[in-house]
Amino acid sequence: MRVFVTGASGWIGSAVVPELLAAGHQVVGLARTDASAAALAAAGAQVRRGTLDDLDVLRDAAADSDGVIHLAFKHDIAFSGDFASAAAADRRAVEVFGDALAGSDRPFVLASGIAGLAPGRVLTERDGVSGPAGDPEGPSARMATAQLALSFADRGVRSSVLRLPPTVHGDGDRGFVPGLVRAAREHGVAGYLGTGDNRWPAVHRLDAAHLFRLALDHAPAGAVLHAIGDEGVPLREIAGVIGRHLNLAVAEIPAADAAGHFGWLAGMVGLDVPASADLTRALLEWKPTRPGLLADLDEGHYFRTPGDR
């Protein structure tokens, strides 16, 4: 297939592109910058210049493709405090893809998340699919956009939603786990909140990339998929590995000190959001083969300093 991929040069996209190419697909990647365009070209993909706000570019690229994988999201804007604008741009892009692919039976795979869908219990692929629609302008905006994408199945699109855990790990990760490592280095202690029993699901980015390819090739219309390798790793255990590698104490951080210790991660470290991928594994015969989160931490690459890279 000729596959249009947004976010193709990002953390996950840069693994999805070679996965698709190795399977014999052609890839056209959306590139916002010269650096992204060069990285895509070097990987063997074709380049379509533009951003998520260039709706005509998105529409034409989707119409010219045999399938679309939508990975891009304005995380920089979202994490700076304007989540509503990032979610609105994402929804506009998804609406354009739905219109471009309607009636074609071509695949559309949307990357989404799991946080907040079922806190405190194990989330399954059946959660967050039926029932009240999410508010497209509220905190549940991404869930609302995922529900919109699933509705494309009624318009002749083989749409699926692939939910990712907060931690998609691997060498080169710049997300939540590196944030915990930085906080430990800065404050001299590897910390957790409360008892540290709250669970973070995780997946290696190469296992996630493989699942995106399986979804493109085989997922039935309306499928919800979970890219979950570890169902839930207690934060205390993550802190324990960080402390061991940095030779630092491991300790509870009082809730009142969370913002000072964890910084932008303060709102995340207390989440208990375990998730299962049992239905996804059965549906697509997906079998994660890469190291789990704790084993990946023990490989040491999370603890290299900039001079070591």
Side-chain angles (χ1 to χ4, degrees), residues 124-213:
T124 78
E125 294 89 335
R126 294 192 177 99
D127 290 309
V129 177
S130 58
D135 179 0
E137 297 182 358
S140 60
R142 294 201 77 181
M143 182 179 76
T145 298
Q147 291 173 331
L148 173 66
L150 294 176
S151 75
F152 294 162
D154 296 329
R155 299 174 58 193
V157 181
R158 185 162 60 81
S159 59
S160 60
V161 169
L162 199 161
R163 293 173 179 162
L164 294 159
T167 300
V168 181
H169 57 89
D171 195 356
D173 181 8
R174 297 181 180 180
F176 297 137
V177 173
L180 294 177
V181 173
R182 284 193 298 273
R185 279 198 167 109
E186 290 172 7
H187 299 284
V189 59
Y192 54 86
L193 292 182
T195 63
D197 289 331
N198 60 296
R199 297 154 292 178
W200 278 13
V203 69
H204 196 284
R205 77 169 185 138
L206 297 181
D207 286 325
H210 182 56
L211 183 56
F212 273 103
R213 201 267 295 170

Side-chain angles (χ1 to χ4, degrees), residues 35-292:
S36 294
L40 288 172
Q46 299 175 40
V47 176
R48 179 67 69 96
R49 293 301 297 261
T51 72
L52 283 185
D53 296 318
D54 296 325
L55 300 184
D56 288 340
V57 171
L58 301 184
R59 184 178 295 106
D60 291 345
D64 289 342
S65 73
D66 299 309
V68 175
I69 297 179
H70 180 38
L71 300 169
F73 189 80
K74 295 183 176 183
H75 292 288
D76 53 343
I77 295 176
F79 286 135
S80 69
D82 194 4
F83 173 79
S85 292
D90 185 50
R91 187 176 182 88
R92 287 192 296 269
V94 170
E95 289 171 343
V96 165
F97 291 139
D99 291 340
L101 298 174
S104 68
D105 291 322
R106 286 175 285 175
F108 172 61
V109 186
L110 171 67
S112 191
I114 67 162
L117 292 179
R121 65 175 178 84
V122 177
L123 179 79
T124 78
E125 294 89 335
R126 294 192 177 99
D127 290 309
V129 177
S130 58
D135 179 0
E137 297 182 358
S140 60
R142 294 201 77 181
M143 182 179 76
T145 298
Q147 291 173 331
L148 173 66
L150 294 176
S151 75
F152 294 162
D154 296 329
R155 299 174 58 193
V157 181
R158 185 162 60 81
S159 59
S160 60
V161 169
L162 199 161
R163 293 173 179 162
L164 294 159
T167 300
V168 181
H169 57 89
D171 195 356
D173 181 8
R174 297 181 180 180
F176 297 137
V177 173
L180 294 177
V181 173
R182 284 193 298 273
R185 279 198 167 109
E186 290 172 7
H187 299 284
V189 59
Y192 54 86
L193 292 182
T195 63
D197 289 331
N198 60 296
R199 297 154 292 178
W200 278 13
V203 69
H204 196 284
R205 77 169 185 138
L206 297 181
D207 286 325
H210 182 56
L211 183 56
F212 273 103
R213 201 267 295 170
L214 292 177
L216 178 84
D217 287 346
H218 304 297
V224 174
L225 309 169
H226 279 188
I228 303 295
D230 292 311
E231 185 172 289
V233 183
L235 190 66
R236 185 181 61 253
E237 294 185 17
I238 299 173
V241 177
I242 293 172
R244 175 160 48 80
H245 277 268
L246 297 181
N247 196 27
L248 295 174
V250 180
E252 176 189 355
I253 304 300
D257 298 332
H261 182 90
F262 295 107
W264 66 275
L265 273 172
M268 296 290 299
V269 290
L271 293 180
D272 184 40
V273 286
S276 166
D278 291 346
L279 299 178
T280 298
R281 296 182 191 217
L283 179 66
L284 297 180
E285 298 183 356
W286 176 62
K287 297 178 181 178
T289 60
R290 303 291 174 167

